[in-house]
Amino acid sequence: MNQTELLRDFLQNKMKMSHVYQPLIIRSLLQAAGTATIRQLAQDLLMEDESQLLYYEDRLKNMPLRILTKHGIVERDGDLVSLKTEGLTFKERSELRLLCEGRLSEFLEKRGLSVWDYRLIEASPVGDSLRYEVLKESGGRCSLCRVTEGDARLEVDHIVPRSKGGSNAKENLQVLCDRCNRGKSNRDDTDFR
Ligand SMILES: [Zn+2]
């Protein structure tokens, strides 16, 4: 079996999927003519992640777009967002883009990675044995919708978020499926157990 047949056979018969990752990775690599960086693969995954996209769409509509509209910077027509500034020259456009870059890097320098994703902060610190213990005590079910491991991805969630000083103590941990966890905003400290 040559390498192409091996890949075809893997895709058709051997690949056991517990998530969409494997075919997405292979598809990305095929699109990139065979080689991609991990960062590129992650970006491709992100583009396919409907839940992340919905999350950001929601976020955009709620705050920043509302503020930009209020200040007369952008206007919205349903799903379309437009700058109210029209007829910019190439030079003006570059200048304004540089201003954006400047404000961005200034802010990121001050605040660091935490600007982007509280999940990043929350994902790391629960150790494997603690995770196992919390999962075991939950009976392998989401504390909110009671879905089991086979039907959804279960996550160990901080009842009081890490970003608000919540600890890794077992009392502050509960099992949620990925869907409920995303539905629970970071502001919500509800203990669902
Ligand atoms: Zn759930």
Side-chain angles (χ1 to χ4, degrees):
M1 209 187 270
N2 68 30
Q3 202 59 45
T4 311
E5 287 162 357
L6 190 96
L7 177 57
R8 186 176 293 122
D9 181 51
F10 179 75
L11 285 169
Q12 286 176 328
N13 308 311
K14 302 255 164 62
M15 181 168 63
K16 291 213 176 71
M17 292 172 59
S18 60
H19 208 297
V20 298
Y21 296 131
Q22 294 184 68
L24 278 178
I25 291 169
I26 294 170
R27 194 184 71 184
S28 294
L29 287 170
L30 289 168
Q31 272 163 359
T35 307
T37 61
I38 303 268
R39 171 54 63 105
Q40 286 166 340
L41 294 176
Q43 280 171 340
D44 283 351
L45 284 183
L46 198 57
M47 284 198 304
E48 292 293 330
D49 188 338
E50 189 63 22
S51 62
Q52 294 262 23
L53 290 173
L54 287 173
Y55 168 80
Y56 277 116
E57 283 178 3
D58 219 46
R59 214 163 159 168
L60 282 171
K61 281 187 233 160
N62 278 338
M63 278 313 286
L65 281 178
R66 202 178 294 168
I67 291 169
L68 289 173
T69 309
K70 206 179 90 190
H71 284 274
I73 304 300
V74 304
E75 56 192 356
R76 264 187 76 191
D77 180 10
D79 245 11
L80 286 180
V81 181
S82 316
L83 268 182
K84 288 180 86 169
T85 325
E86 277 171 40
L88 288 173
T89 65
F90 179 76
K91 194 166 163 241
E92 287 169 327
R93 203 187 301 266
S94 320
E95 278 167 16
L96 293 165
R97 278 184 54 177
L98 262 179
L99 279 179
C100 294
E101 298 286 348
R103 293 299 301 266
L104 264 173
S105 50
E106 199 181 299
F107 190 82
L108 284 171
E109 213 162 283
K110 235 186 302 176
R111 297 273 293 273
L113 261 184
S114 65
V115 176
W116 280 119
D117 201 339
Y118 58 83
R119 272 170 284 193
L120 212 66
I121 311 168
E122 306 211 314
S124 49
V126 177
D128 283 346
S129 65
L130 184 57
R131 204 187 123 77
Y132 174 77
E133 235 175 286
V134 175
L135 273 166
K136 203 174 77 179
E137 272 176 30
S138 76
R141 284 174 182 279
C142 169
S143 306
L144 187 58
C145 71
R146 315 304 295 163
V147 74
T148 53
E149 183 111 64
D151 296 318
R153 204 180 54 175
L154 296 181
E155 296 169 350
V156 171
D157 167 64
H158 291 83
I159 294 162
V160 177
R162 295 285 291 161
S163 54
K164 287 174 72 184
S167 80
N168 265 344
K170 212 159 79 179
E171 303 79 60
N172 191 40
L173 298 172
Q174 65 185 347
V175 174
L176 290 180
C177 69
D178 52 351
R179 227 172 126 191
C180 290
N181 202 3
R182 212 160 284 120
K184 174 193 160 184
S185 97
N186 209 30
R187 285 182 191 82
D188 184 357
D189 305 347
T190 314
D191 181 348
F192 292 120
R193 287 173 306 182

